[in-house]
Amino acid sequence: MDVPLRTILREWGRIGCIGFGGPPTHIALLRDLCVRRRRWLTEPDFEDAIAACNLLPGPASTQLAIYCAWRLRGRAGALVGGAGFIVPGLVLIIGLSAVFLGSPPHWVLGAGAGAGAAVAAVAVRAGWGLVPASWSRTSSRFRWAVYAAAGGVAAALAGPWVVLVLLGCGAIELLLRLRFSAAVSIGGLVWVAFKVGALSYGGGFVIIPLMQADAVSHYHWMTSAQFLNAVALGQVTPGPVVQTVAVVGYAARGVGGALLASLVAFTPSFLFILAGGRRFDRIRRDHRARAFLDGAGPAAIGAILGVAVPLARALHEPWQLGILAGAAVLLLALRRGIVTTLLLAGAAGVSAALAGAPLPH
């Protein structure tokens, strides 16, 4: 198939501009483009691509976008499509970082505090939405529960060390299956971004505990309130949620740091597809890869749910707890959208700020 690169740039750029709502939205838009409208891929091909990308560490929806473009025009298509998908949201989030991390007016601080207050509820919604599919395909529901609990506790208490728990759960499940079948420095910023892009299974909110302890407690690049703003910005801007790392990079080293962190975080996704795209079918069918994912996957879900604990602990003002409760009702009970909920939370924060409520520092 020889799809023009300008077509790939236009279509993937469009998804990068309108892809609000995280991985479910990205997958739906890519399916509509590649399978239903253009018929570049068959439905089984697309489902296989999703399964293979879920086996890789890092942001799965970003890898899916790169892989689909690779199927159309090889390496050039992967690079052009990946850039089209990532860059629009990246430009927007760096611009917003300058506003929120500089010297913003009082009402902007209120908007950030309001939206940040809702983030813990967003994490619970994101994690809970992943439970049914993972639960239905597990071979041992007891071990699934143990892995999920381990991931949740690690995300709540262990900060960046949650990556070791995810890898450990995957390794344990792999060993069990095999046994049964047989019988502030640039260096610091680069390391944080590398962990986000290459060592995080599940993507999305799994990256939050990887960044929070480093960005807030260890390197002191930003305050807890600013980190909550960063997570909220990653949710309300189009493109992959992993772009939150750009806000951390901006806090550490300005625009250059944002670009460096993004480059390091997204490079593994390109390398995985460019180096291994031809082997995806074999990887997907490999029982050892599936076994590892069956251990790491539940732990990642637990980590997504568990990250709500430190995010909620980062709230300093009582009115923020009220916004968190309202967001939980909207997301979990009324099933409203994440972006809509965060915008409403931001509006509530603006109202609180204009009314003279104390703002977090």
Side-chain angles (χ1 to χ4, degrees):
M1 190 176 297
D2 193 21
V3 177
L5 290 177
R6 64 178 179 275
T7 300
I8 294 176
L9 180 61
R10 182 181 68 248
E11 295 292 352
W12 268 249
R14 181 182 64 85
I15 293 175
C17 290
I18 66 173
F20 295 92
T25 300
H26 305 153
I27 292 172
L29 290 171
L30 286 167
R31 187 194 305 275
D32 180 65
L33 169 66
C34 296
V35 178
R36 294 172 183 161
R37 288 198 290 115
R38 297 284 193 157
R39 302 187 185 278
W40 287 327
L41 300 175
T42 66
E43 188 70 42
D45 285 342
F46 191 80
E47 291 297 328
D48 287 350
I50 295 174
C53 290
N54 282 331
L55 291 173
L56 301 174
S61 64
T62 301
Q63 291 159 356
L64 180 64
I66 298 170
Y67 176 76
C68 290
W70 175 82
R71 285 288 302 269
L72 302 185
R73 275 297 298 268
R75 293 181 177 179
L79 294 172
V80 170
F85 178 72
I86 293 169
V87 169
L90 181 62
V91 171
L92 180 58
I93 202 169
I94 290 176
L96 291 173
S97 298
V99 173
F100 279 87
L101 300 182
S103 299
H106 200 65
W107 70 269
V108 172
L109 290 175
V119 167
V122 174
V124 174
R125 163 76 175 270
W128 190 252
L130 297 173
V131 169
S134 180
W135 179 261
S136 65
R137 67 170 180 258
T138 184
S139 60
S140 169
R141 293 188 171 180
F142 172 76
R143 292 203 301 272
W144 189 99
V146 171
Y147 297 147
V153 171
L157 302 177
W161 300 107
V162 68
V163 66
L164 298 181
V165 175
L166 302 186
L167 294 175
C169 289
I172 289 170
E173 185 66 17
L174 174 58
L175 290 174
L176 288 173
R177 296 283 184 88
L178 291 177
R179 180 168 64 84
F180 292 155
S181 64
V184 160
S185 62
I186 293 295
L189 180 57
V190 168
W191 174 236
V192 172
F194 178 76
K195 287 190 291 185
V196 167
L199 300 179
S200 58
Y201 281 88
F205 272 90
V206 175
I207 70 172
I208 302 305
L210 301 181
M211 290 190 291
Q212 187 175 27
D214 284 332
V216 177
S217 302
H218 184 63
Y219 293 109
H220 305 290
W221 290 328
M222 55 205 316
T223 65
S224 296
Q226 288 174 328
F227 185 78
L228 286 174
N229 290 348
V231 179
L233 290 178
Q235 286 288 315
V236 300
T237 51
V241 178
V242 174
Q243 288 179 154
T244 300
V245 76
V247 189
V248 174
Y250 186 93
R253 304 282 294 193
V255 174
L259 294 174
L260 176 63
S262 301
L263 177 65
V264 173
F266 284 114
T267 293
S269 294
F270 284 94
L271 294 179
F272 288 143
I273 303 304
L274 294 176
R278 299 184 185 279
R279 302 178 179 87
F280 265 29
D281 285 343
R282 190 166 61 201
I283 293 172
R284 186 179 63 83
R285 295 185 178 94
D286 191 314
H287 69 281
R288 292 167 297 184
R290 289 297 323 170
F292 182 86
L293 187 65
D294 285 346
I301 293 173
I304 294 172
L305 294 169
V307 77
V309 176
L311 290 174
R313 284 205 307 256
L315 302 179
H316 299 293
E317 304 299 337
W319 63 267
Q320 289 183 290
L321 297 177
I323 290 180
L324 173 58
V329 172
L330 286 174
L331 289 167
L332 304 177
L334 301 180
R335 309 297 296 175
R336 295 294 185 264
I338 290 175
V339 174
T340 299
T341 300
L342 287 174
L343 292 176
L344 289 173
V350 170
S351 299
L354 295 177
L359 296 176
H361 301 289

